[in-house]
Amino acid sequence: MAGTSSSSTVTNSISTVHHDIIEAHILTRLDGPTLASVSCASSHLHKLASNEILWSELRRSTWPSTATFSDDDSRLFFSDAYSVIDTAGPVSDPDRPFPELISAVDVHYRGELILSRVVKTETTTEWFRGSPLRIDLVDTKDTVPTPIKRGRWTEDTCRDLEKELTLSWIVIDPTGKRAVDLSSHRPVSVHRNWLSGGVEAKFATVVGSVECVITVVTCGEEEVHVKEVSLKVEEMEGTHLNGKDSLVILRSVMEGKRGNGRRRDIESKRRHEEFMEKKREMKEKKMRAELVFDILTVAVGILGFVSLVGFYLWSR
């Protein structure tokens, strides 16, 4: 009873504060999850925290690439984009047209925005539906300057990028008004490409037996530039899904079960490591099967040769 009384006292005290003060000086300082929690505290706070303008400002500050988006349904968008993928779900209307896929991407280094773009991909062409899905943000002839100062290559470079480089890649179905962030927030792996000399940071989200992979490739020695940011969907066997099959996966993810996004990077890395372990096991199993097949093929060949020689000698 004491706890209930205390909660009631706090709620009553808040209700006496002018709503302008709450909106302008309290709610605007909260992040999305905290604002959502506050809206459940009382009907008064729920009404104030449901202001779409408030959620629009929060959405734009969290994902600058969405600055030009409409203010409508900003709270729903935040809920979709912030939450982490748990499991894919059945597509409610598989025959509904999906003519366009929108990608809103933001890359930060140590909290500073270094790349923010929106890309629209037409999904109805035969080329898109039949070719392996690949969405590129940076033109092959361009690079994007960054504040990253690398100097001489060391292992600390990888560790720095694993800790300080963050990325969000929100794919949006404008017709169904659903969205999902396919990124792991922080890289699941960072390594140097010894052929090109660049550094590759991999962000990933596992969905069942496939993985949505986002690759960020940097170049330059003293001043680091971003020369590639791309999205692909890979099967466990290593093949890339085409556009048609990728859309099925994306729609099932948008309509699937979501979880709390606060531990996105930790959970995504754990799932990625499990995915890679299964991938290695599958590859080893395939190699063993191929080895057995090769041995049997050689054995049958030798047996056939011996039989042929024996028959030849016997016929003489």
Side-chain angles (χ1 to χ4, degrees):
M1 292 294 291
T4 303
S5 177
S6 176
S7 175
S8 176
T9 301
V10 171
T11 302
N12 290 336
S13 298
I14 292 176
S15 64
T16 61
V17 180
H18 196 279
H19 63 84
D20 286 344
I21 296 177
I22 297 176
E23 285 184 321
H25 300 286
I26 299 177
L27 298 184
T28 54
R29 299 176 182 270
L30 304 180
D31 61 13
T34 306
L35 183 60
S37 298
V38 167
S39 69
C40 300
S42 70
S43 57
H44 177 61
L45 288 176
H46 177 77
K47 182 178 180 180
L48 295 178
S50 298
N51 188 326
E52 281 296 325
I53 296 178
L54 182 66
W55 283 98
S56 296
E57 293 175 350
L58 184 60
R59 185 204 71 214
R60 285 191 288 267
S61 63
T62 306
W63 303 291
S65 58
T66 68
T68 60
F69 288 12
S70 169
D71 289 342
D72 297 337
D73 300 320
S74 289
R75 185 175 183 178
L76 175 61
F77 181 92
F78 195 100
S79 176
D80 274 355
Y82 184 83
S83 58
V84 66
I85 300 169
D86 189 352
T87 55
V91 178
S92 58
D93 185 8
D95 296 326
R96 176 177 61 79
F98 197 153
E100 186 179 57
L101 183 68
I102 299 175
S103 298
V105 184
D106 296 288
V107 184
H108 291 80
Y109 176 73
R110 294 184 178 177
E112 182 178 346
L113 184 66
I114 60 176
L115 177 65
S116 181
R117 292 186 181 177
V118 175
V119 174
K120 296 181 179 181
T121 306
E122 188 179 352
T123 62
T124 56
T125 64
E126 290 299 323
W127 179 87
F128 173 86
R129 297 175 67 83
S131 302
L133 176 69
R134 180 185 173 105
I135 301 176
D136 288 286
L137 254 67
V138 181
D139 190 273
T140 54
K141 298 179 181 179
D142 296 332
T143 61
V144 179
T146 76
I148 305 173
K149 306 295 182 182
R150 193 174 73 186
R152 188 174 63 86
W153 168 265
T154 65
E155 288 301 319
D156 290 338
T157 306
C158 284
R159 286 190 285 269
D160 176 66
L161 290 178
E162 285 179 351
K163 181 181 179 181
E164 304 294 350
L165 189 66
T166 60
L167 177 145
S168 62
W169 188 305
I170 302 172
V171 290
I172 305 161
D173 172 8
T175 304
K177 295 184 178 181
R178 296 303 303 269
V180 65
D181 189 351
L182 298 178
S183 176
S184 50
H185 185 60
R186 285 188 170 84
V188 295
S189 67
V190 178
H191 69 274
R192 186 181 186 187
N193 187 318
W194 295 102
L195 292 177
S196 65
V199 179
E200 297 181 4
K202 179 179 179 180
F203 301 78
T205 294
V206 175
V207 184
S209 61
V210 302
E211 186 175 47
C212 301
V213 178
I214 301 164
T215 304
V216 177
V217 180
T218 66
C219 62
E221 292 296 332
E222 295 298 327
E223 296 184 357
V224 177
H225 288 64
V226 174
K227 72 172 186 178
E228 178 189 326
V229 182
S230 62
L231 168 68
K232 295 177 288 188
V233 181
E234 298 181 1
E235 293 183 291
M236 196 171 291
E237 294 82 358
T239 57
H240 294 164
L241 290 184
N242 60 28
K244 179 182 178 182
D245 295 335
S246 296
L247 285 183
V248 175
I249 295 294
L250 295 180
R251 287 192 61 182
S252 67
V253 166
M254 290 179 186
E255 300 184 23
K257 185 179 178 181
R258 308 290 184 91
N260 191 318
R262 287 191 183 275
R263 294 172 56 85
R264 176 189 298 274
D265 51 350
I266 298 174
E267 184 65 19
S268 295
K269 189 164 186 175
R270 181 187 66 80
R271 291 187 179 185
H272 168 73
E273 290 173 350
E274 292 177 353
F275 182 87
M276 295 304 293
E277 180 61 29
K278 291 179 181 178
K279 190 174 182 178
R280 281 191 291 268
E281 291 174 357
M282 181 178 292
K283 185 177 180 179
E284 291 174 358
K285 184 177 180 180
K286 183 179 179 181
M287 289 176 65
R288 287 195 297 268
E290 291 176 347
L291 179 60
V292 171
F293 178 78
D294 290 342
I295 292 173
L296 290 175
T297 301
V298 172
V300 170
I302 293 174
L303 181 60
F305 177 75
V306 171
S307 299
L308 182 62
V309 171
F311 176 77
Y312 174 75
L313 294 176
W314 178 80
S315 64
R316 293 187 62 184

